[in-house]
Amino acid sequence: MSGPVLAIHGGCGVPPRGSLTDAQERRARDGLKGALRAGWALLRDGGAALDAVEAAVIALEEHTAFNAGRGAVFNADGKHEMDAAIMDGRDLKAGAVGGVARIRNPVRAARAVMERTDHVLLIGEGAEALASRAGLELVAPDWFSTDERRASLREMKARQARGDVSEASQRLKHGTVGAVAIDRAGHLAAATSTGGYTNKLPGRVGDTPLIGAGTYANDATLAYSGTGRGEIFIRTVLGHELHARMAYKGESLTTACDAMVFGDLKRMGGGAGLIAVGRDGTVTLPFNTAGMYRGVASASEGWVSIYDERESL
Ligand code: ASP
């Protein structure tokens, strides 16, 4: 066992190098650093992987650079519908929420579903009622809104009207945040949170809150959080597919993740990325898009990245 490790992502919907301004890159890297520090502070001091991934995701939800919590994208009706999940690799306990619009930190609500109910996934008003009973903060739906996301919705609608389904138009849609960790005791955990896709149909639920698709953790193999075109992650049941390749086929973490991201997912037309940590502490962060907001913290390394650069924590 190599000691605790935390990896995070802020989505693989990154425009090609040179298209973000220096200020935008700075803001994203600072946001990633804040989230890594929040989670790593817990892990380093012997905290549980579950608490670390929740803390990191909360920090990313609070940051408007990322498509989760505040800064979430708009659906076709100009509303936010957010999804989140958390999973504990120790006992395969999991909780998730789908289509929530008023919970300040959807990942906290996912944890409340896991810890306070016999269910795994609650949606909409029922999830918000549980969050309220659990003492979580509810906010007005426009608390999540930013001008940047409003502009993306306008642009997506204009592109759609012109029938433009180019790669550039796909990129406008993307984003998700997630964290995976292994703690000192060797337990794994994963959490993911997202606003989904710009201009998605009202009621659309993505891969993020579907355990085994966008989020998965199992102490026997890996903790995983995905980002990209959710429908493809659902159809490949990606998280469980990675687990199965490792458990039944004996593949290494890296082999399994690369095979899916650069093989199956790519073939299916999906811009995709993921972060994963194995039971031996190995970390991998593959993506087949121009970049992925991401970072790693452990006793031996600490860095964030958008493209192929590494900036120290
Ligand atoms: N996977 C997310 C979804 O489909 C979006 C993303 O990660 O870009 O909701």
Side-chain angles (χ1 to χ4, degrees):
M1 242 302 298
S2 63
V5 184
L6 173 69
I8 61 168
H9 72 82
C12 68
V14 176
R17 183 166 246 165
S19 15
L20 289 174
T21 63
D22 288 350
Q24 284 172 320
E25 287 198 9
R26 182 72 277 134
R27 199 162 138 252
R29 288 200 188 93
D30 288 348
L32 292 167
K33 286 183 184 178
L36 266 185
R37 288 194 186 111
W40 177 244
L42 297 173
L43 268 189
R44 183 197 49 211
D45 294 344
L50 192 68
D51 294 327
V53 294
E54 184 188 21
V57 168
I58 289 170
L60 292 165
E61 287 178 340
E62 291 287 316
H63 200 292
T64 53
F66 307 106
N67 172 21
R70 198 167 207 183
V73 298
F74 289 96
N75 70 12
D77 283 353
K79 299 202 165 114
H80 305 290
E81 289 186 324
M82 293 165 286
D83 302 331
I86 192 162
M87 185 162 187
D88 189 340
R90 266 180 305 197
D91 46 15
L92 306 190
K93 280 202 176 125
V97 293
V100 296
R102 296 191 308 134
I103 303 169
R104 176 167 174 158
N105 294 114
V107 73
R108 287 191 201 270
R111 186 157 182 179
V113 173
M114 177 173 85
E115 291 178 344
R116 290 168 175 257
T117 79
D118 294 331
H119 309 309
V120 169
L121 172 59
L122 290 187
I123 60 165
E125 286 171 14
E128 290 169 358
L130 174 80
S132 168
R133 287 199 299 281
L136 302 184
E137 188 178 352
L138 298 188
V139 292
D142 65 1
W143 184 86
F144 300 101
S145 307
T146 62
D147 291 344
E148 205 179 327
R149 300 301 188 197
R150 229 183 279 280
S152 296
L153 178 63
R154 271 197 303 274
E155 190 171 339
M156 275 302 299
K157 284 195 180 288
R159 283 176 187 265
Q160 198 179 39
R162 300 198 295 270
D164 175 2
V165 288
S166 65
E167 176 57 26
S169 88
Q170 293 306 317
R171 272 201 308 272
L172 274 177
K173 300 178 160 189
H174 266 307
T176 283
V177 309
V180 295
I182 182 164
D183 60 28
R184 202 175 280 168
H187 297 307
L188 298 171
T192 315
S193 181
T194 189
Y197 264 59
T198 301
N199 205 28
K200 66 185 179 179
L201 288 178
R204 181 263 189 185
V205 174
D207 58 312
T208 295
L210 303 184
I211 298 302
T215 308
Y216 191 71
N218 188 327
D219 273 6
T221 48
L222 82 166
Y224 141 87
S225 170
T227 168
R229 188 186 279 267
E231 283 68 14
I232 292 174
F233 288 67
I234 295 171
R235 286 157 56 204
T236 54
V237 203
L238 189 69
H240 192 267
E241 175 72 16
L242 298 172
H243 161 77
R245 280 175 170 263
M246 294 174 72
Y248 311 132
K249 231 180 148 194
E251 285 186 356
S252 71
L253 179 82
T254 311
T255 302
C257 293
D258 284 357
M260 293 308 291
V261 171
F262 303 109
D264 294 38
L265 296 177
K266 197 154 191 191
R267 268 197 299 282
M268 290 170 80
L274 64 84
I275 55 172
V277 58
R279 55 183 288 202
D280 61 355
T282 309
V283 184
T284 187
L285 306 91
F287 53 92
N288 62 26
T289 49
M292 180 168 79
Y293 301 107
R294 62 199 190 282
V296 173
S298 71
S300 57
E301 57 178 327
W303 53 268
V304 299
S305 180
I306 302 176
Y307 300 102
D308 52 13
E309 80 296 351
R310 281 192 181 186
E311 187 172 291
S312 297
L313 189 56

